[in-house]
Amino acid sequence: MNKSFRAGRAGTRGVLFAMCLSLVLVVASVSALNLALPDLAVNLDATNSSLTWIADGYTVALAALVLPLGALGDLFGRRKILVLGNLVFGAAALMAAFSDSATHLIVWRVVMGLGAAMIMPGTLSTITAVFPADKKDRGVATWSGFAAAGAIIGMLIAGGLLEQWTWRSIFVVSAIASLLAASAALLLAPETRSSEPEPFDWGGTVTTALMVGTLVYGIIEGSDRGWTRPEVLVAFAVSVLALAGYALLGLRSRHPLLDPRLFGLRGFRTGTLAILAQFMAVFGFFFVGLQFLQLILGYSPLKSAVALIPVAAVVLPTSQLTPRLVDRLGHKAVMPSGLLCLAAGMFWLTRLDASSSYPSFLVALVVAGVGIGLVSSSGTSTIVDSLGPDRQGVASAVNDTAREVGSAVGIAVMGSVFSSRYRSALPDALRQLPADAAETVRHSAAGGLQVASHLGERGVWLSDAVRDAFMTGFASATGVIAAILVLAAVGCLVFAPHRARSEGDPETGPDRLRAHAPDGYSQETSH
């Protein structure tokens, strides 16, 4: 039985505010630095591959560690781990502000990802543990809306900072925000934990971290160095072996980090698939889309962030409306529809070229925003509802893991496709340039446009060539992610449960899991 919980003196609204503040900090840090990528390419002499690692180092650490650190929160207290995570995050952000090379920045972004992995699981699981049953869906929907819109919020703040200061200011403000988030959690949120602690699963921790880390490494480095390079092939092989090891150890363990049998639940499986695909698209798009606004349309960082506000303006109300749509139509209708809307937005972007204007870009934003709102809310509630109230720690951790793995893989896939196609689309006339200038052009589009600007009138042809090559990479990257979204929509259409709530369904609810999973269902407690 699930025990009653106290929301604390601030009530459920205070808990929701504190958890969404920490959530926005984590999500915003995935996307905020994308606005500074053109400056980083020039100031730190970062290649396209380095830029991908700067964006993805944070996300890879977050994706690889969010599940085990969520388990630590269940064991020692979610608020305690969340506050500690904010402190780690803030310290690493401050160190990142003083980085003098791309390598140093990547290292501190990884440490920030460690702190974020400590923060993220406690945000949703605290909400679902504290909120009463009649308010839980609305709390989850609000959380989902901020999880999707938090990226835009972060970019708006980053854009404003970059108007006045350098990219280093983003990290200084992030450090300050982490202290505010930690204080809000201490003052407004109660401590929650599992009342039946389970042994920590070291085998599951190692295999899941290896699986995610080596997969993303293989994708990024394969695009940069070549897909047949020994280190790339080894990375993919290790990722596959780690996946097999996770499944084997999970089936044999009485207390697995994440029981593989959970994926036998239709709601759990399809909700995870939908969230994974959505975040692949969203954060992969931010990685290339912001560069389109800055390099092709010539927008400033702040104007680029403002140009993405329509996404948040559509996502937040759509995510609030989604629970009612699910109650009326069911997950089988809502989740695939959302994924197809998002795919349509990505496909529209493939039609743009170097002469396209913002209104054409805006059409894709609005259509994709509707899809994001539908998928984020319905996918999260499907995962949460499929396990029931006594397994919310697991539900939250899996939801977070799907989001962060999707973000990491999406940035890696779209960044790699973009980088590869950009280089291959550059003209042979590049050989006419000095060797160091030609290498700068190949490294990044931002570097290429800077070289062109130094050539005066002679650089017009180079500027046009770089812009055309950029759009070739942009169209290829958005086309690939659109195809992935369509496949995910088909999977959800076939396998998603019909009803909005599936706890009592013997095919999708927790009774089926109890019949096949090992003992050890946990209960939640709140202090």
Side-chain angles (χ1 to χ4, degrees):
M1 293 289 295
N2 201 35
K3 297 184 179 181
S4 60
F5 306 119
R6 297 189 299 273
R9 289 174 295 177
T12 54
R13 288 186 179 181
V15 173
L16 189 62
F17 170 79
M19 294 302 102
C20 286
L21 182 59
S22 284
L23 169 69
V24 168
L25 175 66
V26 171
V27 176
S29 295
V30 178
S31 60
L33 204 59
N34 288 334
L35 282 168
L37 291 178
D39 289 340
L40 290 170
V42 175
N43 295 339
L44 296 182
D45 194 26
T47 66
N48 276 329
S49 177
S50 295
L51 292 176
T52 304
W53 274 117
I54 289 171
D56 224 5
Y58 171 87
T59 316
V60 169
L62 175 53
L65 298 174
V66 68
L67 196 57
L69 290 174
L72 284 182
D74 289 343
L75 185 62
F76 295 109
R78 295 168 188 137
R79 186 181 66 177
K80 190 182 286 89
I81 298 297
L82 182 147
V83 170
L84 180 59
N86 270 294
L87 297 179
V88 172
F89 180 99
L94 200 57
M95 295 303 296
F98 297 98
S99 298
D100 58 4
S101 70
T103 301
H104 289 165
L105 183 55
I106 291 168
V107 169
W108 289 117
R109 285 279 287 173
V110 170
V111 180
M112 287 177 66
L114 167 63
M118 300 171 73
I119 298 169
M120 188 76 172
T123 58
L124 180 59
S125 58
T126 297
I127 291 171
T128 56
V130 168
F131 273 52
D134 61 333
K135 295 182 178 180
K136 188 180 74 170
D137 279 353
R138 184 54 60 89
V140 170
T142 301
W143 183 94
S144 300
F146 276 102
I152 307 296
I153 295 171
M155 286 186 287
L156 284 171
I157 295 172
L161 292 172
L162 292 172
E163 289 292 308
Q164 300 295 326
W165 298 286
T166 70
W167 57 268
R168 300 178 192 277
S169 64
I170 296 174
F171 293 104
V172 174
V173 171
S174 295
I176 296 171
S178 69
L179 291 178
L180 295 176
S183 300
L186 285 171
L187 292 173
L188 302 177
E191 183 65 279
T192 64
R193 60 166 59 87
S194 171
S195 63
E196 296 182 0
E198 299 177 354
F200 191 73
D201 181 12
W202 289 104
T205 298
V206 172
T207 53
T208 52
L210 270 178
M211 177 179 64
V212 175
T214 53
L215 174 63
V216 173
Y217 176 88
I219 294 172
I220 295 175
E221 295 303 316
S223 172
D224 186 52
R225 303 184 185 186
W227 298 105
T228 58
R229 294 275 298 184
E231 61 268 32
V232 173
L233 296 176
V234 168
F236 285 130
V238 171
S239 184
V240 171
L241 290 174
L243 174 61
Y246 149 74
L248 183 62
L249 293 173
L251 291 172
R252 292 185 174 183
S253 174
R254 290 182 59 83
H255 303 287
L257 183 65
L258 174 61
D259 191 345
R261 296 177 184 86
L262 287 171
F263 292 98
L265 304 178
R266 287 192 296 160
F268 187 91
R269 181 172 66 241
T270 53
T272 301
L273 173 63
I275 294 295
L276 182 76
Q278 178 212 327
F279 275 75
M280 282 183 67
V282 170
F283 285 93
F285 161 71
F286 286 152
F287 181 77
V288 297
L290 283 167
Q291 293 184 72
F292 169 83
L293 291 170
Q294 292 180 268
L295 300 179
I296 303 302
L297 298 188
Y299 287 5
S300 69
L302 179 58
K303 189 175 181 180
S304 298
V306 170
L308 294 178
I309 286 179
V311 176
V314 173
V315 167
L316 286 172
T318 303
S319 64
Q320 291 294 311
L321 177 64
T322 299
R324 278 179 273 175
L325 292 175
V326 170
D327 285 339
R328 176 171 295 184
L329 303 174
H331 291 298
K332 186 179 281 289
V334 175
M335 279 197 298
S337 297
L339 288 167
L340 289 175
C341 282
L342 187 49
M346 294 298 105
F347 177 75
W348 181 267
L349 292 173
T350 67
R351 300 166 56 88
L352 304 185
D353 56 36
S355 64
S356 295
S357 59
Y358 178 71
S360 297
F361 187 78
L362 179 62
V363 172
L365 293 186
V366 173
V367 175
V370 173
I372 293 168
L374 292 173
V375 177
S376 185
S377 183
S378 62
T380 298
S381 64
T382 306
I383 295 171
V384 168
D385 290 345
S386 68
L387 294 188
D390 59 346
R391 297 289 282 174
Q392 290 307 292
V394 173
S396 173
V398 170
N399 181 71
D400 294 339
T401 301
R403 289 170 182 266
E404 304 317 325
V405 170
S407 300
V409 174
I411 292 171
V413 168
M414 292 189 71
S416 296
V417 172
F418 165 79
S419 179
S420 177
R421 293 290 292 136
Y422 166 77
R423 288 196 303 269
S424 65
L426 290 169
D428 293 337
L430 212 61
R431 301 191 186 115
Q432 300 173 9
L433 297 174
D436 56 344
E439 190 63 21
T440 298
V441 174
R442 294 189 188 95
H443 277 175
S444 69
L449 291 175
Q450 186 185 48
V451 170
S453 68
H454 290 161
L455 295 177
E457 292 184 1
R458 294 181 302 158
V460 173
W461 71 270
L462 178 59
S463 176
D464 291 341
V466 168
R467 287 161 57 87
D468 288 341
F470 178 96
M471 292 310 301
T472 298
F474 182 83
S476 298
T478 51
V480 166
I481 207 66
I484 292 172
L485 287 165
V486 170
L487 292 175
V490 172
C492 288
L493 182 63
V494 173
F495 297 109
H498 286 278
R499 287 177 288 177
R501 285 195 171 273
S502 53
E503 289 178 16
D505 188 341
E507 290 300 317
T508 60
D511 289 341
R512 181 181 174 193
L513 180 63
R514 291 191 183 99
H516 296 88
D519 296 335
Y521 267 76
S522 63
Q523 296 175 344
E524 311 289 338
T525 60
S526 175
H527 302 285

